[in-house]
Amino acid sequence: MTRFVLTGATGFLGSHLMAELLRDGHTVVALGRGSGESGLKERIARQLAWFGLDSEGDRVHCVEAELLKPRLGLGQAAYRELCSHPATIVHLASDTRFAPANRAASLATNVESLAAVLDFARDSAAPFFHYVSTAYVAPADCSLCREEPVAHGSFANIYEETKARAELQVAQRCRELGLPYSILRPSIVYGDCRTGRSNSFTALYHHVKALELIRGIYLNDLASQGGAKSRASGIALGPDGTLKLPLRIFLPRKGHLNLIPIDFFVAAATRIIAAPRPAAIYHLTSRTPSTMEELALFCEAFLGIAGIEIRYGEPPASLRPNPAEALFGKLIEPYRPYLSDTRSFDSTNLTAVAPGIAPPPLSYPIFERCMRYAVEVNWAHTR
């Protein structure tokens, strides 16, 4: 039985990794904060219940900590006690918001908090430090991204920028401390491809939810308001119940979305943690990324709509988007750069440590399974 310290255990990736470590018989120390009126212990208990692991709560030790403060915000005695039990550290806590207005919070959570976490790794004589980053720290113009230290380049948003800065800080500080470390770089993660279950509905789900919202607006207009708004945009309900919804999506170039299921992330991460290699970087990515055309067809089939059209290049200056297009564009704006991303990712290091572990292509049955679960729980964070 191994002892692990996890930050971000209440988040999407962290909660799934925590659950798998517990299933494997390990002990987990969860470092984090409460939220609203819920303390950390209560938040962790909700996660364990979602995973059906209520009975394993005695193997999770919750420590209310402030990662931005020295000694993690703990008193001297509590910090000394925490440090007296060396454990492998997996740092997953991060701010995943993209908006420029969130810059200060992103820098604090993703970069500035590392100082206290790495001090704790030093003070507790941690045997290994694993940092969970993102595959998108690679420059946007990189064609084949290697499992190598981050290079300077342009970033699509503050999240990518701060994760790149964090990687550099982790590598430099761990070298100074003589602390073995690894960096895990997942791409865009969705729910469990086998069951469809998820306790987070961002990224891929955000686009489908936006389309569901737009569909609902026009179905309501057609059913109860005479359909004037719909007719003005060429929107109509077909005899088979399919909603004709003209919706052009303009993208600067043809690209793809690199999507992986959470069960693949967990399988790969636990294999890496079980056989740690110092200074190794791992891409947890798909070898068969999805095209926008494929995803558009999946959305149409799942939502019972028709009319999504992917166009490449700048829209004509004279073109005015219809109301559905304008609303969809506004809703997905933070994610737009990823819809035409052209990066591919080498995964030589991952293949070496986890042969045979690879994510399946995102097929329609997997897509439908995941989205149906999301709709069943009304896009909630937990059931």
Side-chain angles (χ1 to χ4, degrees):
M1 180 185 297
T2 303
R3 180 181 171 96
F4 290 92
V5 171
L6 266 60
T7 67
T10 57
F12 181 38
L13 303 185
S15 63
H16 280 79
L17 182 58
M18 173 182 67
E20 190 65 18
L21 292 174
L22 291 173
R23 292 189 190 104
D24 289 343
H26 303 299
T27 299
V28 171
V29 177
L31 295 183
R33 295 184 301 174
S35 178
E37 297 181 356
S38 300
L40 178 63
K41 190 171 183 178
E42 184 180 348
R43 296 178 71 196
I44 292 292
R46 285 200 296 266
Q47 293 288 8
L48 294 177
W50 190 85
F51 286 102
L53 293 172
D54 312 63
S55 61
E56 305 302 325
D58 60 340
R59 286 193 287 117
V60 182
H61 179 44
C62 298
V63 178
E64 295 262 2
E66 293 284 349
L67 302 188
L68 281 166
K69 294 182 179 180
R71 296 197 312 266
L72 305 174
L74 302 174
Q76 289 187 357
Y79 185 70
R80 192 180 306 114
E81 169 61 22
L82 183 64
C83 290
S84 66
H85 305 283
T88 293
I89 298 174
V90 187
H91 186 42
L92 299 110
S94 67
D95 187 326
T96 59
R97 293 173 293 178
F98 295 163
N102 193 57
R103 183 176 186 84
S106 293
L107 283 168
T109 301
N110 297 346
V111 181
E112 294 165 15
S113 67
L114 281 170
V117 176
L118 288 165
D119 282 348
F120 167 64
R122 175 201 62 201
D123 296 342
S124 63
F128 214 97
F129 187 90
H130 299 281
Y131 177 67
V132 178
S133 181
T134 173
Y136 295 99
V137 295
D141 59 356
C142 179
S143 56
L144 178 61
C145 307
R146 304 284 183 183
E147 293 169 306
E148 297 173 350
V150 64
H152 294 287
S154 59
F155 301 102
N157 50 57
I158 185 62
Y159 175 65
E160 292 182 2
E161 178 189 340
T162 54
K163 296 301 275 187
R165 290 177 62 174
E167 280 197 20
L168 293 172
Q169 186 170 326
V170 166
Q172 178 180 343
R173 187 77 193 285
C174 285
R175 285 195 298 268
E176 292 171 354
L177 296 174
L179 172 62
Y181 72 95
S182 74
I183 295 173
L184 284 65
R185 294 176 177 166
S187 55
I188 303 169
V189 189
Y190 61 92
D192 192 303
C193 69
R194 304 159 301 182
T195 66
R197 297 183 82 236
S198 180
N199 54 0
S200 178
F201 303 103
T202 57
L204 174 63
Y205 296 91
H206 187 82
H207 303 77
V208 184
K209 187 178 181 180
L211 287 171
E212 184 197 46
L213 171 66
I214 293 169
R215 182 194 64 171
I217 291 172
Y218 287 101
L219 285 176
N220 181 65
D221 175 66
L222 289 166
S224 62
Q225 300 179 34
K229 183 190 300 183
S230 301
R231 288 193 298 273
S233 297
I235 297 171
L237 197 60
D240 63 349
T242 298
L243 182 70
K244 179 187 176 185
L245 181 64
L247 199 153
R248 296 159 296 189
I249 302 174
F250 284 89
L251 300 172
R253 61 188 174 277
K254 189 176 181 64
H256 48 247
L257 272 77
N258 199 292
L259 301 161
I260 61 170
I262 187 65
D263 43 297
F264 163 70
F265 168 81
V266 169
T270 51
R271 188 70 65 87
I272 291 166
I273 292 169
R277 297 168 58 194
I281 298 173
Y282 303 94
H283 281 150
L284 281 60
T285 53
S286 174
R287 300 167 188 167
T288 53
S290 302
T291 67
M292 278 299 295
E293 287 79 5
E294 290 171 335
L295 293 173
L297 290 174
F298 290 175
C299 288
E300 288 184 332
F302 180 71
L303 295 171
I305 61 178
I308 300 177
E309 184 181 354
I310 309 299
R311 293 190 182 184
Y312 297 102
E314 291 297 320
S318 60
L319 182 68
R320 295 178 63 87
N322 64 45
E325 292 168 339
L327 178 56
F328 183 74
K330 182 177 180 180
L331 291 172
I332 70 160
E333 188 57 35
Y335 297 99
R336 188 177 294 276
Y338 298 101
L339 304 184
S340 53
D341 193 86
T342 58
R343 285 169 284 193
S344 59
F345 303 96
D346 170 53
S347 56
T348 301
N349 290 344
L350 179 63
T351 301
V353 74
I357 296 180
L362 180 60
S363 63
Y364 181 70
I366 293 175
F367 178 90
E368 181 185 34
R369 193 176 302 133
C370 291
M371 295 306 150
R372 193 160 302 285
Y373 177 81
V375 171
E376 286 174 358
V377 299
N378 195 28
W379 309 92
H381 290 291
T382 57
R383 182 177 290 277

